[in-house]
Amino acid sequence: MREIYSMNPGWRFLQQDVEERNFQSIHERFYKAPEWMKSGNQGLSKVGYPDESWQILDLPHDFLQENGFSPEAEVAHGSIPKGVAWYRKTFELPAEDNGRRIHIEFDGIYRDSSVWVNGHFVGRHLSGYTSFCCDISELLNYGAPNSIAVRCDARLAELWSYEGGGIYRDVRLIITDPVRVDWCGTFVRTEGDALTIETTVRSDLNRAEDCEVRSIVLDANGKEQCSASGPLSIGIDATATLTQTAAIPSPILWDTETPYLYTLKTIITVNGETTDEYATTFGVRDIRFDGEKGFFLNGRPLKLRGICNHQDHAGVGTAIPDSLQEWRMLQMKKMGANALRVSHNPPTPALLDICDRLGILVMDETRLTGSSPEFMQQLEDLLRRDRNHPSVIMWSLGNEEMNVQWSEVGVKQLRRMQHLVHKLDPSRSATYSMNCDWLGVADIYDEHNFHLDVFGANYTFTEDGVDESRYDKFHAKYPDWPLIGSETGGSFATRGLYNTEYYDGKPIELNDFGHGGICWNGNHLKGIASAYNNGLTPWGSNFDAAWKHCAERDFMAGTFLWTGFDYRGETYPFDWPATVTRFGLMDLCGFPKDAYFYYKAWWNPEPQLHLFPHWSWAGKEGQPIKVRAYTNCAEVELILNSTSLVRQAVATNEYFETMVDYQPGTLEAIGYAAAGNEILRTVNETVGAPAAIRLIPDRTTLAADARDTAVCRVEVVDAKGRLVPDADHNIRFTVEGPANIIGVGNGNPTSHEPPKGRERKAFYGLCQALLQSTFESGPVILTAEADGLESGRTELSTNAAEGLAIIPGILEHVDRIEIDANPVDGIL
Ligand code: GAL
């Protein structure tokens, strides 16, 4: 039977390449003379290697987060020095496991990783984003210690922004019998109530074997819905695949609002004995793209209100704990987004589990475009791993690969990639995100008789500027070709910064690209990107235009805004000292910028009213301030210190804006329904001096599994508890009880403070601490102090998670920690 253990705790880590003479020479010779592989290797992965001086840590781990910032490092990658690192772990397996199959599964390592076990070379994996699994059964000692060593080289880039480094996703040890479901070995497809189930079984026996495959479908309460059984013969050291059909009576559909999940339980028996039980989570839903009407979910047209995201968060870099991934998705969902583009790389599988559970539709993306064996393998690995997730609605074959996309060479390569998609997953469409003259590229593809299933258009930039009528031209020419705004928007903003109505002392004029606002232009690189989102790329559209272009066109399946969250690197158009981009609707901590509320207003049916800026402008009395409200109310009235200033209608997908001469006091907005009745009211008040710190954790209980992480919002407030919008106090954190701060941040795109510190300056009144449980349960107190402020304090508790065998990361023992109940494929 299958056993799955977390291998996250208890690793040794060294950030440098190790000059271990014997080992290194063999490592090098291995590539020149492959026979070394057979005779084994020496050195770092041997039990007993002297690693006492190495750092002890638990995974996941992004080692670049400890490297500080340097103007010498590439600004595009966050001005963080990169490097090579080694990880080692020693563990024991009982003698009884001899004869079973032992696999080590990595969800992702950045990047170019090589794995050795007990001195034997296991494999090399180039991609920093795809998962891989190695069968190491023959290399292990049973009833005795084993060592594993992983080298990764994070120096080369796969993307043009920050990518982290190291074993930044989960690692598992999977123990099975010799006859078992192969890695990623199930594929469930649904059509109406009919299921097609493909199961690939692997056997490592020395003889051919017959087995029986039983597929049982369970509903969300574990109640059996239907099943199928069938025999399968497998050769020596081989795999075999069985296709079965079944039908769920009146299935409950998976939808964005009701993401109902079923479980396929696969039972493999040999001579009546169960050798494997394997779980696959799936959903029943119908998806299709239409050239005229866009995207359909379960027969109903649904505009994809999408955002693009990189994997990066304050304090932790790419090593984002699952609970923080979920928190990030919830912020998106609260904004009204229903779709995510995992730009531009395969995500951690945990993120797709979260999207399955939350009802978020995913454009799943491979990192590299091309038909070389390496790139095709990366795509195949992605397809096989992710094709059971109901959240995944399409496969992106890549993004803006300009040496590929514009020619017949591109046609040939994308054609092969799309064929692979159709072969391995006939249930979904392929797309590719094309930039610049994508209309011209569409013509080249059409001439070669090749249509991507869904045409992905990044922005509407042409040599003559931005021109959204290109969507219409495309549709007029290719009315049956589904079209999606695969990347749109591209304006930037700094949370909390409102002083850019004038630029360099002059009113902002239209620039060369026809936009109002700061733009990429040598004279304009002065480092201001206000929260009014009046800075944008030459190829982008303003935050509201990006949505309007899509909303006004029924044929557009949806839009994916660049981006949901800020991320490190690509600080465009700013240079050092900037280290973080400003494209996000939320900053690097996930604190919303104002534009977030524009989307919240137009992507949600419930009434919304967001008034900005804050109303604390000491020294600006009598000066005009631009005031906006992002709202879906039909009209907005603005009242300053009890005097009504203006009442204005707000058209669909527009916003309220006026200039107000500043006077301290209260600025109030009232939102009215079309019928004229008041439905919402919000007030911005002039606040007093900073007085105290307030801590607001996203929840007060954590699972004691050394993974669960609370996101704690830290506010500087005045004596009446109101946020002080310009506070920048240095806040020092202490924790009592079984939890650790794993990172801090404040969303400041030019901050060079250490993400792993125990203190952080507030940035426009806010900062964030990420508090992670340990394996112990008990009360936890987080305290925040700053000079001149009353301290903040919050109490949480960590509770033993049910079914979790708690063995902390004891370095010289196997960490047989059963994984929690998260529905990860393969765990029942
Ligand atoms: C796009 C690109 C993204 C990001 C963005 C910035 O062209 O696909 O990865 O670089 O520009 O505006």
Side-chain angles (χ1 to χ4, degrees):
M1 290 288 280
R2 182 174 292 255
E3 298 166 52
I4 304 177
Y5 302 99
S6 169
M7 285 282 273
N8 287 353
W11 289 71
R12 291 276 188 181
F13 169 76
L14 185 71
Q15 190 181 162
Q16 71 183 53
D17 214 356
V18 180
E19 294 292 327
E20 207 271 342
R21 204 164 12 110
N22 207 7
F23 176 81
Q24 191 67 16
S25 62
I26 288 167
H27 169 65
E28 279 172 14
R29 266 186 281 166
F30 165 71
Y31 289 104
K32 291 179 192 142
E35 58 272 17
W36 280 105
M37 190 173 162
K38 297 184 195 104
S39 54
N41 218 325
Q42 303 289 320
L44 264 86
S45 68
K46 290 271 187 182
V47 173
Y49 178 86
D51 61 5
E52 296 78 12
S53 61
W54 294 26
Q55 195 183 331
I56 299 172
L57 48 79
D58 291 345
L59 304 177
H61 175 237
D62 172 0
F63 71 85
L64 265 55
Q65 288 296 300
E66 283 135 50
N67 287 358
F69 299 92
S70 159
E72 309 303 319
E74 294 156 84
V75 68
H77 296 273
S79 300
I80 298 178
K82 302 175 184 180
V84 174
W86 282 87
Y87 292 83
R88 264 182 54 82
K89 182 172 175 65
T90 301
F91 58 97
E92 276 177 41
L93 287 172
E96 309 85 79
D97 281 347
N98 200 354
R100 306 193 74 205
R101 304 309 301 181
I102 320 294
H103 315 78
I104 186 152
E105 182 184 41
F106 295 92
D107 284 348
I109 301 178
Y110 198 85
R111 82 177 280 283
D112 188 0
S113 53
S114 301
V115 180
W116 289 262
V117 168
N118 294 334
H120 303 280
F121 180 70
V122 176
R124 184 175 178 191
H125 191 80
L126 283 182
S127 167
Y129 297 103
T130 52
S131 300
F132 61 105
C133 184
C134 310
D135 185 332
I136 52 175
S137 315
E138 281 80 16
L139 314 180
L140 292 168
N141 306 313
Y142 295 89
N146 296 280
S147 276
I148 178 165
V150 179
R151 176 187 186 270
C152 46
D153 184 346
R155 288 174 300 182
L156 285 186
E158 296 193 32
L159 264 173
W160 41 95
S161 50
Y162 179 77
E163 301 183 275
I167 312 182
Y168 71 99
R169 293 182 183 165
D170 290 336
V171 184
R172 287 175 280 273
L173 194 78
I174 303 173
I175 304 179
T176 65
D177 287 345
V179 182
R180 77 282 189 184
V181 174
D182 199 10
W183 189 56
C184 302
T186 55
F187 181 31
V188 192
R189 270 179 292 151
T190 68
E191 219 178 317
D193 61 357
L195 301 183
T196 309
I197 303 164
E198 279 173 35
T199 309
T200 302
V201 180
R202 175 174 288 277
S203 166
D204 287 289
L205 292 174
N206 237 344
R207 54 172 191 277
E209 190 61 274
D210 293 330
C211 70
E212 163 142 321
V213 179
R214 243 188 111 205
S215 299
I216 305 169
V217 173
L218 307 172
D219 68 11
N221 299 317
K223 195 162 166 246
E224 184 171 328
Q225 297 299 303
C226 58
S227 67
S229 290
L232 187 65
S233 303
I234 318 165
I236 300 170
D237 263 343
T239 58
T241 300
L242 180 71
T243 302
Q244 297 169 309
T245 52
I248 303 179
S250 315
I252 302 175
L253 299 183
W254 184 97
D255 213 310
T256 50
E257 299 312 311
T258 50
Y260 192 89
L261 294 172
Y262 288 92
T263 303
L264 167 70
K265 182 171 166 180
T266 308
I267 302 175
I268 309 295
T269 49
V270 175
N271 297 327
E273 294 253 322
T274 301
T275 61
D276 198 7
E277 279 193 14
Y278 183 87
T280 308
T281 305
F282 71 98
V284 179
R285 48 109 185 100
D286 177 60
I287 51 173
R288 76 184 161 90
F289 285 89
D290 180 90
E292 285 295 342
K293 292 280 171 204
F295 175 70
F296 284 73
L297 178 63
N298 298 327
R300 155 181 72 91
L302 182 69
K303 195 68 108 180
L304 297 172
R305 304 186 301 263
I307 64 176
C308 302
N309 270 348
H310 280 320
Q311 47 175 26
D312 192 9
H313 194 91
V316 290
T318 56
I320 303 175
D322 296 353
S323 44
L324 180 57
Q325 294 276 19
E326 178 151 350
W327 182 87
R328 285 163 61 91
M329 290 304 104
L330 287 169
Q331 308 318 301
M332 259 182 60
K333 221 177 143 75
K334 269 194 254 170
M335 183 176 78
N338 62 13
L340 167 71
R341 175 174 174 210
V342 288
S343 45
H344 305 294
N345 51 265
T348 181
L351 180 60
L352 296 180
D353 293 335
I354 290 163
C355 291
D356 287 349
R357 286 202 302 274
L358 298 182
I360 294 173
L361 305 161
V362 178
M363 184 198 292
D364 203 353
E365 185 158 329
T366 194
R367 171 72 288 280
L368 295 164
T369 305
S371 58
S372 71
E374 171 66 28
F375 294 1
M376 292 295 279
Q377 189 61 51
Q378 291 191 14
L379 177 61
E380 177 165 347
D381 289 348
L382 176 74
L383 294 167
R384 289 192 185 278
R385 191 196 70 177
D386 294 348
R387 59 189 173 163
N388 289 315
H389 288 280
S391 56
V392 175
I393 55 163
M394 62 177 126
W395 305 103
S396 166
L397 306 181
N399 179 74
E400 298 189 359
E401 296 295 341
M402 290 182 252
N403 61 340
V404 176
Q405 70 190 22
W406 278 325
S407 60
E408 197 184 335
V409 172
V411 171
K412 287 180 185 162
Q413 301 200 65
L414 285 167
R415 198 198 299 268
R416 275 201 67 199
M417 294 179 89
Q418 183 161 287
H419 277 163
L420 185 65
V421 167
H422 293 168
K423 187 170 108 190
L424 292 181
D425 182 9
S427 70
R428 293 182 183 86
S429 304
T431 187
Y432 169 85
S433 300
M434 195 96 61
N435 61 340
C436 297
D437 181 20
W438 46 257
L439 197 50
V441 180
D443 293 340
I444 299 178
Y445 287 25
D446 192 56
E447 278 159 29
H448 286 87
N449 231 347
F450 170 62
H451 279 200
L452 287 151
D453 298 331
V454 175
F455 193 90
N458 279 8
Y459 307 99
T460 55
F461 178 69
T462 68
E463 278 180 9
D464 303 324
V466 168
D467 173 14
E468 71 275 11
S469 73
R470 286 208 292 156
Y471 293 137
D472 305 310
K473 289 177 190 146
F474 175 92
H475 183 61
K477 207 160 181 187
Y478 303 112
D480 299 330
W481 201 346
L483 177 67
I484 196 155
S486 41
E487 204 178 300
T488 59
S491 63
F492 33 88
T494 311
R495 175 183 59 77
L497 176 70
Y498 296 102
N499 60 349
T500 56
E501 287 319 287
Y502 290 88
Y503 189 74
D504 248 5
K506 299 182 217 93
I508 294 163
E509 289 168 2
L510 288 188
N511 56 51
D512 299 347
F513 296 96
H515 302 290
I518 306 165
C519 198
W520 180 47
N521 170 328
N523 301 320
H524 286 202
L525 299 182
K526 289 283 170 64
I528 294 177
S530 90
Y532 295 101
N533 279 74
N534 48 356
L536 80 164
T537 59
W539 53 88
S541 327
N542 222 332
F543 67 100
D544 54 332
W547 168 237
K548 278 186 265 179
H549 296 163
C550 172
E552 287 159 1
R553 293 169 171 83
D554 275 358
F555 61 84
M556 283 195 69
T559 195
F560 287 85
L561 298 162
W562 192 263
T563 49
F565 294 83
D566 281 350
Y567 51 92
R568 291 171 180 85
E570 206 176 29
T571 54
Y572 180 91
F574 310 110
D575 215 328
W576 174 269
T579 61
V580 172
T581 190
R582 296 167 211 221
F583 286 121
L585 297 168
M586 291 169 266
D587 68 17
L588 192 64
C589 292
F591 294 131
K593 301 178 189 175
D594 294 291
Y596 173 99
F597 296 97
Y598 169 85
Y599 288 100
K600 195 167 185 206
W602 295 114
W603 285 2
N604 278 290
E606 300 80 32
Q608 311 282 340
L609 179 58
H610 173 73
L611 177 69
F612 71 99
H614 60 78
W615 210 239
S616 301
W617 297 102
K620 291 207 171 177
E621 287 75 7
Q623 292 183 30
I625 307 260
K626 182 176 278 187
V627 172
R628 278 189 194 166
Y630 292 149
T631 182
N632 51 9
C633 297
E635 278 183 85
V636 170
E637 182 181 4
L638 197 65
I639 299 163
L640 178 63
N641 295 331
S642 312
T643 306
S644 176
L645 302 179
V646 62
R647 183 167 167 167
Q648 270 178 22
V650 183
T652 304
N653 297 327
E654 298 287 342
Y655 54 83
F656 167 95
E657 181 177 291
T658 191
M659 299 300 287
V660 177
D661 290 342
Y662 178 63
Q663 284 170 23
T666 56
L667 183 71
E668 191 168 13
I670 303 176
Y672 297 95
N677 51 312
E678 175 182 334
I679 41 177
L680 276 178
R681 192 177 272 251
T682 185
V683 182
N684 289 356
E685 292 175 320
T686 307
V687 302
I693 303 171
R694 180 163 55 212
L695 299 181
I696 309 170
D698 69 319
R699 64 222 144 89
T700 50
T701 53
L702 289 172
D705 59 2
R707 296 163 65 94
D708 207 5
T709 302
V711 180
C712 192
R713 176 183 166 105
V714 183
E715 298 181 344
V716 177
V717 295
D718 73 356
K720 290 189 176 165
R722 298 170 299 191
L723 186 82
V724 180
D726 59 352
D728 62 356
H729 299 69
N730 191 46
I731 310 224
R732 303 176 299 272
F733 299 102
T734 43
V735 183
E736 291 164 59
N740 296 306
I741 292 178
I742 57 163
V744 290
N746 61 10
N748 179 353
T750 58
S751 168
H752 297 163
E753 296 161 272
K756 296 292 170 195
R758 293 290 166 275
E759 56 189 84
R760 172 59 57 142
K761 283 183 81 170
F763 180 63
Y764 293 113
L766 299 174
C767 65
Q768 183 176 75
L770 302 172
L771 196 64
Q772 188 169 65
S773 65
T774 67
F775 287 107
E776 278 171 50
S777 25
V780 172
I781 298 165
L782 175 68
T783 310
E785 295 168 299
D787 296 345
L789 298 180
E790 193 186 312
S791 301
R793 186 178 185 277
T794 186
E795 250 183 75
L796 300 91
S797 64
T798 65
N799 303 328
E802 211 170 299
L804 200 74
I806 299 169
I807 307 170
I810 300 167
L811 289 173
E812 303 307 324
H813 292 83
V814 61
D815 297 311
R816 285 204 155 197
I817 297 157
E818 284 176 30
I819 317 196
D820 54 27
N822 279 344
V824 177
D825 280 358
I827 303 165
L828 280 173

